[in-house]
Amino acid sequence: MRICILGLGVIGTTYGYAFQKAGHQVEHLVREKKQEYLPSELDVTILDGRYNSHGEEKRDKYTAYPAKPNTSYDFIFLSVRSGKLKDALAALSRNNIRGTVVLFCNFWNDRQEIEKIMEGYKFIIGFPTAGGHMADGKLNCVLFDHIMLESEEKASIPNYRDLAELLASADIKTEIPSDMVEWIWIHMAINAGVTSTAAREGKMDNPKQLALNLMQDSRELSIAAKSIRETITVVQARGVDMRKYRGELLPYKIPPVIAGIIMKRMFANNELTRRIMTLHNDEKDIMYGCNSVYDSGKSMNLNLPLFYSHMDNIIKK
């Protein structure tokens, strides 16, 4: 299949690597002024979790081919920072690039807002289970064995089975939640509880160290569990039936002290999760979720004392 990746970011390039290794034609659309700096080859260091639950360390090369204007692709993978979705679509339109868009984005919008932004494009909502860091032509990333994906009925795209085939060819499974938009809200709320706890002293200048400190301290993790109990009430207040997501929320229903011990043990035994926590250091992207949950909680007059206190310390700094 012919795949277009918008930009040369961590998520898109990680999946571009997986698709290219599976034999597909993968091309990257970058801004005009950056095209001359598009590296012909990237060094890739990957902890690959597709074939081993502990992950396999690999070093490889990835060829980043430029996308061509006036081209139709089978799929366009779009993973952009919050608030950049309209700009991304404008870039596709400007280059007359068409195809089914796979949205791999954090967003706090509701489905109607997303449909309005995506007007004119066939699209499906998914969520990556990958992450990492890109610098100086080197990609250091983690790739899990699955992604979250909208159901065929809710997506209403004509080539859903082609997408399933593409993912399967790269040995990537799919998990389908009750509703993809609601699942993303829950994911963002959980991350907001974790991040705000890790940075509750008000310092965000070293996300890697904050993540390491949190993962090694069961007491801090129990505080994070308490904060998550608060943040997920914001999602519930938006009208989500939380009974549909029992599996995702179960770890935060048990006593926080026990949750902290279990979470510490999980991080110690799961190198994939540990690695992705330490590699993700885009502060603006991290804080988008925290600020979205914070602002919504305040606007709905919800009582979230622990989360608010953590966030107030961060905002003051």
Side-chain angles (χ1 to χ4, degrees), residues 248-264:
E248 290 88 343
L249 300 175
L250 182 60
Y252 315 110
K253 297 295 184 181
I254 61 178
V257 172
I258 297 174
I261 295 170
I262 293 173
M263 290 166 73
K264 180 182 178 182

PDB file of all heavy atoms in Angstrom, residues 248-264:
ATOM      1  N   GLU A 248     -10.147  -0.416  31.844  1.00  0.00           N
ATOM      2  CA  GLU A 248      -9.172   0.667  31.899  1.00  0.00           C
ATOM      3  C   GLU A 248      -9.109   1.302  33.286  1.00  0.00           C
ATOM      4  O   GLU A 248      -8.049   1.765  33.724  1.00  0.00           O
ATOM      5  CB  GLU A 248      -9.511   1.752  30.872  1.00  0.00           C
ATOM      6  CG  GLU A 248      -9.315   1.344  29.414  1.00  0.00           C
ATOM      7  CD  GLU A 248     -10.550   0.688  28.817  1.00  0.00           C
ATOM      8  OE1 GLU A 248     -11.437   0.245  29.589  1.00  0.00           O
ATOM      9  OE2 GLU A 248     -10.639   0.631  27.578  1.00  0.00           O
ATOM     10  N   LEU A 249     -10.241   1.321  34.001  1.00  0.00           N
ATOM     11  CA  LEU A 249     -10.332   2.056  35.261  1.00  0.00           C
ATOM     12  C   LEU A 249     -10.138   1.190  36.497  1.00  0.00           C
ATOM     13  O   LEU A 249      -9.963   1.720  37.601  1.00  0.00           O
ATOM     14  CB  LEU A 249     -11.695   2.755  35.340  1.00  0.00           C
ATOM     15  CG  LEU A 249     -11.969   3.761  34.212  1.00  0.00           C
ATOM     16  CD1 LEU A 249     -13.386   4.298  34.316  1.00  0.00           C
ATOM     17  CD2 LEU A 249     -10.972   4.907  34.256  1.00  0.00           C
ATOM     18  N   LEU A 250     -10.141  -0.123  36.332  1.00  0.00           N
ATOM     19  CA  LEU A 250     -10.048  -1.037  37.474  1.00  0.00           C
ATOM     20  C   LEU A 250      -8.847  -0.759  38.382  1.00  0.00           C
ATOM     21  O   LEU A 250      -8.993  -0.774  39.615  1.00  0.00           O
ATOM     22  CB  LEU A 250     -10.012  -2.484  36.977  1.00  0.00           C
ATOM     23  CG  LEU A 250      -9.968  -3.561  38.072  1.00  0.00           C
ATOM     24  CD1 LEU A 250     -11.209  -3.467  38.961  1.00  0.00           C
ATOM     25  CD2 LEU A 250      -9.874  -4.952  37.444  1.00  0.00           C
ATOM     26  N   PRO A 251      -7.636  -0.489  37.849  1.00  0.00           N
ATOM     27  CA  PRO A 251      -6.490  -0.264  38.740  1.00  0.00           C
ATOM     28  C   PRO A 251      -6.660   0.915  39.687  1.00  0.00           C
ATOM     29  O   PRO A 251      -5.973   0.990  40.714  1.00  0.00           O
ATOM     30  CB  PRO A 251      -5.327  -0.003  37.756  1.00  0.00           C
ATOM     31  CG  PRO A 251      -5.752  -0.639  36.483  1.00  0.00           C
ATOM     32  CD  PRO A 251      -7.238  -0.458  36.436  1.00  0.00           C
ATOM     33  N   TYR A 252      -7.580   1.832  39.368  1.00  0.00           N
ATOM     34  CA  TYR A 252      -7.755   3.028  40.187  1.00  0.00           C
ATOM     35  C   TYR A 252      -8.959   2.924  41.108  1.00  0.00           C
ATOM     36  O   TYR A 252      -9.294   3.890  41.809  1.00  0.00           O
ATOM     37  CB  TYR A 252      -7.855   4.258  39.272  1.00  0.00           C
ATOM     38  CG  TYR A 252      -6.801   4.220  38.200  1.00  0.00           C
ATOM     39  CD1 TYR A 252      -7.134   4.000  36.863  1.00  0.00           C
ATOM     40  CD2 TYR A 252      -5.454   4.327  38.528  1.00  0.00           C
ATOM     41  CE1 TYR A 252      -6.157   3.915  35.881  1.00  0.00           C
ATOM     42  CE2 TYR A 252      -4.472   4.234  37.548  1.00  0.00           C
ATOM     43  CZ  TYR A 252      -4.831   4.024  36.233  1.00  0.00           C
ATOM     44  OH  TYR A 252      -3.864   3.927  35.267  1.00  0.00           O
ATOM     45  N   LYS A 253      -9.600   1.757  41.105  1.00  0.00           N
ATOM     46  CA  LYS A 253     -10.734   1.521  41.997  1.00  0.00           C
ATOM     47  C   LYS A 253     -10.286   0.881  43.309  1.00  0.00           C
ATOM     48  O   LYS A 253     -11.010   0.934  44.305  1.00  0.00           O
ATOM     49  CB  LYS A 253     -11.761   0.615  41.301  1.00  0.00           C
ATOM     50  CG  LYS A 253     -12.376   1.210  40.038  1.00  0.00           C
ATOM     51  CD  LYS A 253     -13.214   2.431  40.331  1.00  0.00           C
ATOM     52  CE  LYS A 253     -13.909   2.954  39.082  1.00  0.00           C
ATOM     53  NZ  LYS A 253     -14.707   4.171  39.359  1.00  0.00           N
ATOM     54  N   ILE A 254      -9.113   0.248  43.296  1.00  0.00           N
ATOM     55  CA  ILE A 254      -8.606  -0.399  44.496  1.00  0.00           C
ATOM     56  C   ILE A 254      -7.998   0.651  45.422  1.00  0.00           C
ATOM     57  O   ILE A 254      -7.718   1.777  44.986  1.00  0.00           O
ATOM     58  CB  ILE A 254      -7.576  -1.495  44.149  1.00  0.00           C
ATOM     59  CG1 ILE A 254      -6.367  -0.875  43.425  1.00  0.00           C
ATOM     60  CG2 ILE A 254      -8.204  -2.572  43.292  1.00  0.00           C
ATOM     61  CD1 ILE A 254      -5.293  -1.889  43.086  1.00  0.00           C
ATOM     62  N   PRO A 255      -7.780   0.332  46.716  1.00  0.00           N
ATOM     63  CA  PRO A 255      -7.184   1.316  47.627  1.00  0.00           C
ATOM     64  C   PRO A 255      -5.881   1.885  47.068  1.00  0.00           C
ATOM     65  O   PRO A 255      -5.041   1.138  46.564  1.00  0.00           O
ATOM     66  CB  PRO A 255      -6.939   0.500  48.903  1.00  0.00           C
ATOM     67  CG  PRO A 255      -7.981  -0.567  48.865  1.00  0.00           C
ATOM     68  CD  PRO A 255      -8.129  -0.919  47.412  1.00  0.00           C
ATOM     69  N   PRO A 256      -5.697   3.193  47.142  1.00  0.00           N
ATOM     70  CA  PRO A 256      -4.529   3.832  46.525  1.00  0.00           C
ATOM     71  C   PRO A 256      -3.186   3.283  46.996  1.00  0.00           C
ATOM     72  O   PRO A 256      -2.244   3.205  46.195  1.00  0.00           O
ATOM     73  CB  PRO A 256      -4.698   5.306  46.927  1.00  0.00           C
ATOM     74  CG  PRO A 256      -6.161   5.484  47.087  1.00  0.00           C
ATOM     75  CD  PRO A 256      -6.652   4.191  47.663  1.00  0.00           C
ATOM     76  N   VAL A 257      -3.076   2.927  48.269  1.00  0.00           N
ATOM     77  CA  VAL A 257      -1.802   2.389  48.769  1.00  0.00           C
ATOM     78  C   VAL A 257      -1.449   1.107  48.030  1.00  0.00           C
ATOM     79  O   VAL A 257      -0.309   0.898  47.604  1.00  0.00           O
ATOM     80  CB  VAL A 257      -1.868   2.137  50.289  1.00  0.00           C
ATOM     81  CG1 VAL A 257      -0.607   1.399  50.763  1.00  0.00           C
ATOM     82  CG2 VAL A 257      -2.020   3.452  51.044  1.00  0.00           C
ATOM     83  N   ILE A 258      -2.452   0.237  47.861  1.00  0.00           N
ATOM     84  CA  ILE A 258      -2.226  -1.020  47.139  1.00  0.00           C
ATOM     85  C   ILE A 258      -1.954  -0.725  45.671  1.00  0.00           C
ATOM     86  O   ILE A 258      -1.079  -1.334  45.050  1.00  0.00           O
ATOM     87  CB  ILE A 258      -3.440  -1.948  47.296  1.00  0.00           C
ATOM     88  CG1 ILE A 258      -3.631  -2.322  48.772  1.00  0.00           C
ATOM     89  CG2 ILE A 258      -3.273  -3.202  46.444  1.00  0.00           C
ATOM     90  CD1 ILE A 258      -4.874  -3.120  49.051  1.00  0.00           C
ATOM     91  N   ALA A 259      -2.694   0.224  45.105  1.00  0.00           N
ATOM     92  CA  ALA A 259      -2.479   0.599  43.703  1.00  0.00           C
ATOM     93  C   ALA A 259      -1.053   1.078  43.479  1.00  0.00           C
ATOM     94  O   ALA A 259      -0.422   0.744  42.466  1.00  0.00           O
ATOM     95  CB  ALA A 259      -3.471   1.687  43.294  1.00  0.00           C
ATOM     96  N   GLY A 260      -0.527   1.857  44.425  1.00  0.00           N
ATOM     97  CA  GLY A 260       0.838   2.350  44.306  1.00  0.00           C
ATOM     98  C   GLY A 260       1.859   1.233  44.285  1.00  0.00           C
ATOM     99  O   GLY A 260       2.810   1.249  43.491  1.00  0.00           O
ATOM    100  N   ILE A 261       1.656   0.231  45.125  1.00  0.00           N
ATOM    101  CA  ILE A 261       2.574  -0.918  45.174  1.00  0.00           C
ATOM    102  C   ILE A 261       2.511  -1.706  43.870  1.00  0.00           C
ATOM    103  O   ILE A 261       3.536  -2.094  43.298  1.00  0.00           O
ATOM    104  CB  ILE A 261       2.226  -1.818  46.382  1.00  0.00           C
ATOM    105  CG1 ILE A 261       2.481  -1.071  47.699  1.00  0.00           C
ATOM    106  CG2 ILE A 261       3.031  -3.116  46.331  1.00  0.00           C
ATOM    107  CD1 ILE A 261       1.954  -1.791  48.929  1.00  0.00           C
ATOM    108  N   ILE A 262       1.282  -1.928  43.385  1.00  0.00           N
ATOM    109  CA  ILE A 262       1.101  -2.686  42.138  1.00  0.00           C
ATOM    110  C   ILE A 262       1.699  -1.929  40.957  1.00  0.00           C
ATOM    111  O   ILE A 262       2.371  -2.519  40.095  1.00  0.00           O
ATOM    112  CB  ILE A 262      -0.398  -2.969  41.906  1.00  0.00           C
ATOM    113  CG1 ILE A 262      -0.930  -3.934  42.971  1.00  0.00           C
ATOM    114  CG2 ILE A 262      -0.626  -3.544  40.503  1.00  0.00           C
ATOM    115  CD1 ILE A 262      -2.424  -4.139  42.926  1.00  0.00           C
ATOM    116  N   MET A 263       1.486  -0.614  40.915  1.00  0.00           N
ATOM    117  CA  MET A 263       2.015   0.191  39.815  1.00  0.00           C
ATOM    118  C   MET A 263       3.540   0.194  39.826  1.00  0.00           C
ATOM    119  O   MET A 263       4.181   0.092  38.764  1.00  0.00           O
ATOM    120  CB  MET A 263       1.463   1.614  39.896  1.00  0.00           C
ATOM    121  CG  MET A 263      -0.025   1.716  39.567  1.00  0.00           C
ATOM    122  SD  MET A 263      -0.767   3.297  40.044  1.00  0.00           S
ATOM    123  CE  MET A 263      -0.088   4.408  38.814  1.00  0.00           C
ATOM    124  N   LYS A 264       4.147   0.298  40.992  1.00  0.00           N
ATOM    125  CA  LYS A 264       5.613   0.272  41.079  1.00  0.00           C
ATOM    126  C   LYS A 264       6.147  -1.056  40.559  1.00  0.00           C
ATOM    127  O   LYS A 264       7.135  -1.096  39.810  1.00  0.00           O
ATOM    128  CB  LYS A 264       6.057   0.493  42.521  1.00  0.00           C
ATOM    129  CG  LYS A 264       7.576   0.469  42.681  1.00  0.00           C
ATOM    130  CD  LYS A 264       8.003   0.642  44.128  1.00  0.00           C
ATOM    131  CE  LYS A 264       9.520   0.555  44.258  1.00  0.00           C
ATOM    132  NZ  LYS A 264       9.961   0.675  45.668  1.00  0.00           N
TER     133      LYS A 264
END
